[in-house]
Amino acid sequence: MISIKGVSKWYGDFQVLRNCSAEIGKGEVVVICGPSGSGKSTLIKTINGLEAFQEGELVVDGTSLNKRGIDLAKLRSRVGMVFQHFELFPHLNVLRNLTISQCRVLGRGRKEAEENALKLLGMVGLEAYCRKFPAQLSGGQQQRVAIARALSMDPVAMLFDEPTSALDPEMIKEVLDVMVDLAKNGMTMVVVTHEMGFAKQVADRVIFMDHGSILEDKPKEEFFGSSGSERCQQFLSKILAH
Amino acid sequence: MLAAGLDWSIFLQPSFDQSGNYLTFLLTGLKWTIYLSVTAWVIAFVFGSFVGLLRTLPNSLCVALAAAYVELFRNIPLLVQLFIWYFVFPEIIPVLGTWFKQSVNPLLQQFIAATLCLGFFTSARIAEQVRSGIEAIPKGQRLAGLALGFTLLQTYNLVILPVAYRIIIPTLTSEFLNVVKNSAVASTIGLIELSRQSQQLGEFTSHWYESFIAVTLLYGAINLTVMVLSRYLERFSRLSGYIGGRH
Ligand SMILES: Nc1ncnc2c1ncn2[C@@H]1O[C@H](COP(=O)(O)OP(=O)(O)OP(=O)(O)O)[C@@H](O)[C@H]1O
Ligand SMILES: [Mg+2]
């Protein structure tokens, strides 16, 4: 589904990604963790073409991002993305947030788009909020709407960039529950998160990044067993401590 | 003392140019001030939006061109720009310039030069405001738009601009008031706008106080109307619970 081969990226002289490789199969759930500034966000943004890379090969659902002149918008529409700060559109109500891209990108009719939107809002438990504006919702509710919005495009894979790290503790669970359901329903997911409980529950693999490199890429049983690198063990003990 | 000496009946006296009385004489000025301000502002809004938007694109050539545009129009004094539009361009632009001088009626010549001058001068200022409005939108909004499969153009149209314009309604309003104020510069090339009419009224009747009070009230009325409209627009377009770039 997603194939990353030797991808490197620089911002000027600064190398953000160093020779990163990973294969993510259909229906797999992969958790990426690592210290701040290690390049996690950059890596998942390159996966749907939001960031360019200078070396390596990247293929997403059969589309190579190396080719010049590929339709990036079309590729992105097939890969859902969820952000740390939700990024709902503040001038549109919840329903319109979910229909606008269906109508404008996929060319669906308004009625079809709304039916689909309401179905997805029902799935994240927010059908009753469809006429509210984003600012009228709690953080957890906004993030669930954001997940529903990404799903409204019928994505082949979902990318999450620290979806719960801007949330108050009592709201984290409601968002993780939605993500666990998605995972169990076979969605291909790449999740940047430090929620190791989530990783233990549904991840197939865990990737550990540091200084732009992928240092570990292991099945979760192995990852959480004590066989990993020293750097990774240090990091894990730090985030599991609290 | 002063109030006792004022004679408001002069507004009912026939004006020196026989066009009516001095009230209609002033209202003619008001009319041209409004025409000039509105058309100049429309030009400024269209070009300013375009240039301001160019400055935020991920393309250094667009950014450089837009920056040069802004500096050019912002840093040359308004009066100089007006003289260039009115006196210089008709001389140096072949064919069109000659036609403009010979076939366009003088009032319209003054109006067109003043409108273009004010419009482009103000567009540089609006460009900066549009740019700052766009830059006030969190970067994640752009990414969210693109991630949903919108093109860059769609991302601007559907995601960034609707919020950016809401943020800058107050500054766009004060820019319109600036245009009204700056429109008085057109009196230097003879356009019969409000400030010129009041000056002429003073000169021909020597009732300077009445003239200045009347013209102040008329400019004040324009300001008040614009502010009320803008308040209404602001309230109508307000995003509940949304302050600045992030909620
Ligand atoms: N536009 C940019 N220009 C220059 N450097 C950048 C840019 N964006 C990110 N970086 C740098 O790239 C590195 C990786 O950033 P990235 O956001 O991918 O890290 P991250 O692992 O997601 O960290 P965090 O946990 O803080 O989100 C950081 O050192 C950051 O400062
Ligand atoms: Mg990050």
Side-chain angles (χ1 to χ4, degrees):
Chain A
M1 173 67 54
I2 299 169
S3 157
I4 306 167
K5 286 201 190 110
V7 167
S8 292
K9 174 180 175 65
W10 286 263
Y11 282 120
D13 295 338
F14 178 69
Q15 189 167 5
V16 219
L17 297 179
R18 295 166 195 269
N19 198 22
C20 294
S21 298
E23 294 286 331
I24 295 153
K26 191 163 164 40
E28 255 190 313
V29 176
V30 174
V31 162
I32 303 179
C33 62
S36 180
S38 56
K40 307 178 298 290
S41 300
T42 309
L43 181 65
I44 68 168
K45 279 190 260 176
T46 55
I47 293 176
N48 69 345
L50 286 174
E51 293 277 3
F53 55 95
Q54 284 83 36
E55 275 177 15
E57 252 179 79
L58 192 45
V59 181
V60 176
D61 192 31
T63 307
S64 166
L65 275 83
N66 293 68
K67 290 218 190 79
R68 285 196 148 269
I70 61 157
D71 189 347
L72 272 181
K74 186 161 178 215
L75 172 80
R76 289 173 187 145
S77 72
R78 294 191 296 145
V79 179
M81 181 137 184
V82 175
F83 299 85
Q84 183 174 6
H85 294 287
F86 332 132
E87 306 302 349
L88 296 178
F89 305 136
H91 58 300
L92 303 175
N93 69 21
V94 166
L95 189 63
R96 201 79 188 103
N97 260 282
L98 266 72
T99 55
I100 188 164
S101 53
Q102 293 185 63
C103 297
R104 295 307 189 98
V105 177
L106 303 179
R108 287 185 184 151
R110 188 156 188 143
K111 192 153 170 291
E112 185 192 355
E114 284 184 356
E115 273 166 16
N116 188 33
L118 287 171
K119 189 189 83 200
L120 290 165
L121 284 174
M123 204 186 83
V124 299
L126 291 170
E127 229 171 342
Y129 292 80
C130 66
R131 303 283 164 199
K132 296 262 192 225
F133 282 82
Q136 295 169 306
L137 306 184
S138 73
Q141 292 170 330
Q142 288 189 53
Q143 194 61 299
R144 280 144 68 197
V145 172
I147 293 172
R149 179 177 68 179
L151 291 172
S152 74
M153 302 294 286
D154 300 333
V156 294
M158 289 277 284
L159 310 175
F160 295 79
D161 191 1
E162 307 204 30
T164 58
S165 58
L167 295 175
D168 294 335
E170 71 268 22
M171 294 172 187
I172 291 179
K173 187 172 178 304
E174 67 189 52
V175 171
L176 288 180
D177 285 349
V178 169
M179 292 168 58
V180 167
D181 278 350
L182 265 184
K184 288 186 172 158
N185 284 324
M187 177 59 78
T188 309
M189 292 163 70
V190 181
V191 185
V192 174
T193 186
H194 292 162
E195 293 292 335
M196 289 303 135
F198 173 81
K200 283 178 180 161
Q201 195 180 347
V202 293
D204 295 302
R205 276 168 31 225
V206 182
I207 288 176
F208 175 73
M209 285 184 76
D210 195 16
H211 293 300
S213 307
I214 293 182
L215 293 189
E216 311 249 345
D217 178 355
K218 293 185 172 152
K220 73 172 168 207
E221 295 79 11
E222 240 177 274
F223 185 86
F224 290 113
S226 51
S227 61
S229 68
E230 196 184 329
R231 187 74 193 81
C232 179
Q233 294 302 324
Q234 261 176 12
F235 173 76
L236 276 180
S237 65
K238 237 185 262 167
I239 60 167
L240 291 176
H242 48 247
Chain B
M1 176 204 88
L2 195 61
L6 293 181
D7 175 11
W8 295 104
S9 69
I10 58 125
F11 287 109
L12 298 176
Q13 288 169 19
S15 59
F16 70 90
D17 62 352
Q18 309 301 328
S19 66
N21 59 31
Y22 275 113
L23 182 64
T24 59
F25 183 76
L26 269 193
L27 291 179
T28 303
L30 179 68
K31 181 183 80 182
W32 282 104
T33 290
I34 292 173
Y35 285 174
L36 176 57
S37 304
V38 171
T39 39
W41 195 83
V42 169
I43 291 173
F45 184 76
V46 171
F47 283 81
S49 294
F50 181 68
V51 172
L53 198 152
L54 281 189
R55 275 194 97 164
T56 66
L57 290 181
N59 177 319
S60 48
L61 183 65
C62 290
V63 173
L65 284 176
Y69 177 101
V70 168
E71 294 309 321
L72 177 70
F73 285 103
R74 207 168 50 167
N75 292 332
I76 300 172
L78 184 57
L79 191 62
V80 175
Q81 290 192 33
L82 182 60
F83 288 173
I84 292 173
W85 283 104
Y86 187 62
F87 295 115
V88 180
F89 282 160
E91 296 299 330
I92 62 173
I93 297 173
V95 190
L96 194 65
T98 321
W99 171 82
F100 184 78
K101 279 188 297 182
Q102 287 169 358
S103 317
V104 177
N105 100 40
L107 176 61
L108 207 56
Q109 282 188 30
Q110 293 159 354
F111 179 74
I112 290 170
T115 302
L116 292 175
C117 166
L118 261 183
F120 283 102
F121 175 78
T122 311
S123 74
R125 302 172 52 94
I126 289 188
E128 286 298 273
Q129 291 157 5
V130 169
R131 173 171 77 117
S132 75
I134 292 173
E135 284 172 355
I137 310 289
K139 214 167 166 267
Q141 289 278 302
R142 184 190 299 238
L143 293 181
L146 293 173
L148 282 170
F150 291 146
T151 61
L152 189 61
L153 191 68
Q154 282 179 318
T155 303
Y156 270 92
N157 273 338
L158 303 172
V159 178
I160 298 174
L161 293 180
V163 181
Y165 278 122
R166 281 174 168 88
I167 295 175
I168 62 170
I169 288 174
T171 55
L172 288 178
T173 307
S174 72
E175 214 43 64
F176 183 79
L177 297 178
N178 267 335
V179 173
V180 174
K181 210 171 60 185
N182 286 335
S183 69
V185 77
S187 64
T188 58
I189 57 168
L191 183 68
I192 50 169
E193 47 68 65
L194 190 51
S195 70
R196 180 177 169 90
Q197 296 297 77
S198 89
Q199 211 160 358
Q200 298 237 317
L201 196 163
E203 269 166 29
F204 279 89
T205 65
S206 299
H207 286 277
W208 289 100
Y209 287 114
E210 293 86 338
S211 169
F212 283 148
I213 290 170
V215 82
T216 305
L217 289 177
L218 288 175
Y219 274 119
I222 298 180
N223 281 13
L224 202 66
T225 314
V226 171
M227 265 148 67
V228 168
L229 286 178
S230 137
R231 269 293 164 75
Y232 186 75
L233 188 63
E234 240 174 285
R235 191 167 313 168
F236 178 73
S237 66
R238 187 168 52 202
L239 305 173
S240 57
Y242 188 87
I243 306 145
R246 168 78 60 209
H247 43 99

